[in-house]
Every structure is written in structure tokens, then in C-alpha cells.
Amino acid sequence: MLTEVKRRLGRDDVAGALLYAYPKVVEDLGRAYDVAFPEGYSHEEILTRRFNEAMAPMAEFFDQLYRMYAPVRFGGRAPPGTADVVLELVQSLYSPEPMWRLYVTPYSPEPAATTSAGTSATTPERAGEEG
């Protein structure tokens, strides 16, 4: 998520970053905090009816992101603010553990292949090579 926002901002596409980020944040808030956001809910309804106590610290960042997103989404106008502001808001929204955990892949090392003698099957010449 953050990588895609950065990619768009890097191309100076602030409007595209906002159009991508806001709906994705809504989706991820639902997944991270196990909250359903009925289709058609307005931003205000999301905040007043679905934001729970655990999400409360993010309400201001979420609202600021929406205030930048709305003119682009509903008015086709250039977004207020800069790429730096958008990036900071998105980073703030993904700083709580339930949000960043959505994008963490658990690490589970696979055991090295061994020969019948119990030694590693990887030879020094092949070590570090990628197929």
C-alpha cells in the first residue's frame, strides 16, 4: 500500500495517490480492526458510526486524508497540499500495529536441503546464486 502511494507521489501524481490511498485505507481499517463499513457509507458515517476506541487515535489523520481526497474525487480539482503531506498522513495511518501488520509477511525459514550424509546440498559455487 505505502509503496504504491510513494510510487504515485514520485511521479508527482498527488491526485492519483489520493484516489488510491483513501479507499485502500478504508478497506484496511476494516480488515485491521474487524469493522464492517457498509457500501455507500459517507466519510462522516464511517467516523461517527464505525470508528471504535482502538481506531480513535487515527481519526484526525483519516479526516485530513479525506479533506485532501474529496476535492479530487468529487470535484475533479487538484488536491490541496503537497505530496509530503499525503505521505505523512498515510504513514501516520499505518503506524499503529494492526495496520502495519496487514502488510507484514511472516518469516518462516525453510530447512536447507541435505544429502544422505546429512550435509548441506548447497555447494560453495552455487551458494548465493539465484535461479
Side-chain angles (χ1 to χ4, degrees):
M1 187 311 185
L2 189 56
T3 301
E4 180 61 19
V5 170
K6 286 181 179 181
R7 188 178 69 76
R8 292 174 189 223
L9 293 174
R11 292 189 326 230
D12 201 29
D13 183 10
V14 177
L18 287 165
L19 290 172
Y20 171 78
Y22 181 80
K24 190 66 175 162
V25 167
V26 171
E27 176 187 327
D28 286 348
L29 283 169
R31 288 177 40 221
Y33 292 94
D34 197 27
V35 176
F37 298 115
E39 191 173 328
Y41 254 38
S42 70
H43 173 74
E44 290 76 20
E45 288 172 315
I46 291 170
L47 279 173
T48 59
R49 295 183 182 180
R50 294 293 194 236
F51 253 60
N52 58 36
E53 189 175 323
M55 299 160 68
M58 294 183 295
E60 184 177 336
F61 300 122
F62 183 61
D63 197 48
Q64 287 175 10
L65 182 66
Y66 178 78
R67 283 187 264 140
M68 294 182 78
Y69 162 80
V72 177
R73 170 66 175 88
F74 300 108
R77 296 184 308 222
T82 65
D84 290 342
V85 173
V86 174
L87 182 59
E88 288 173 11
L89 288 172
V90 172
Q91 287 174 327
S92 295
L93 287 162
Y94 283 85
S95 65
E97 185 175 354
M99 291 292 280
W100 61 256
R101 278 216 177 272
L102 294 173
Y103 292 92
V104 174
T105 304
Y107 174 73
S108 54
E110 295 191 23
T114 56
T115 64
S116 59
T119 58
S120 176
T122 305
T123 61
E125 300 85 38
R126 308 266 319 154
E129 284 184 25
E130 293 183 11

